[in-house]
Amino acid sequence: MAVVVRNLRMTVEDFDQFVELPENADKRYEFIGGEAVEVPSNAYSSYIVVRILWRLAMFVELNNLGYVTGEGGGYRVYGDRYAPDVAFLRKGKTLSKQGYNPDPPDLAVEVLSPGNTESEMSLKVVNYMNDGATVWVVDYESKTVDVFVPGQKAVRLTEKDTLDGGAVLPGFTLAVKDI
């Protein structure tokens, strides 16, 4: 759920130092294709995020599968730094207590918001999959979820469909209409 406020061109090393500055403590940034992008939230997108996060977190907790993080948790993904709206990380992987998590998520959920650009989202999806992550891109305007699984053809789900966890979260299901 990104609304681009400011783009700053820099190296990933500069970015890692930039986000640690005291004046950036209350801001969320992603590093996308060589640019720092500030990504504030909006209430409706956050509502959609919570609906997904809550269901995923309950499933993961009940099955002792690992960790679910929200939009405040950042990850190192294929040389970039992303803060997916919801992420799942399998048990046994690193869950960092500071900075961007060194292990990419196994599942990244991105909820589209005004300000998201198609080129940034496309790059993020490709990079997530290059690092082995499954990606769900939720578009609440069109009431669809695009599912990207490494090595498979992308699938678009509508309100008539049910999202499932696939190989990443076997047994997890969520009706798209319930998102």
Side-chain angles (χ1 to χ4, degrees), residues 13-142:
E13 293 81 13
D14 291 339
F15 175 81
D16 288 339
Q17 292 177 356
F18 171 77
V19 296
E20 295 298 325
L21 294 173
E23 60 266 28
N24 294 326
D26 294 335
K27 300 175 185 174
R28 287 186 29 236
Y29 286 94
E30 291 185 316
F31 185 72
I32 305 171
E35 289 185 324
V37 180
E38 186 177 352
V39 287
S41 184
N42 71 54
Y44 193 78
S45 293
S46 183
Y47 167 72
I48 299 298
V49 166
V50 168
R51 293 180 64 79
I52 297 166
L53 186 141
W54 179 76
R55 287 172 171 90
L56 270 176
M58 291 299 296
F59 181 83
V60 168
E61 182 73 21
L62 290 171
N63 293 285
N64 196 26
L65 299 174
Y67 315 100
V68 175
T69 61
E71 57 199 38
Y75 292 85
R76 295 178 186 181
V77 178
Y78 208 69
D80 282 353
R81 306 292 188 264
Y82 301 150
D85 296 307
V86 180
F88 164 68
L89 194 65
R90 285 187 179 125
K91 197 175 195 176
K93 286 192 171 182
T94 301
L95 186 62
S96 179
K97 291 183 180 176
Q98 70 182 81
Y100 288 76
N101 204 68
D103 288 332
D106 295 290
L107 169 68
V109 180
E110 295 283 354
V111 177
L112 298 178
S113 294
N116 283 127
T117 67
E118 190 174 325
S119 63
E120 284 177 350
M121 192 55 63
S122 294
L123 179 60
K124 288 173 73 172
V125 166
V126 166
N127 285 343
Y128 278 127
M129 291 196 309
N130 281 337
D131 258 354
T134 293
V135 185
W136 298 344
V137 178
V138 178
D139 184 342
Y140 57 79
E141 293 293 336
S142 67

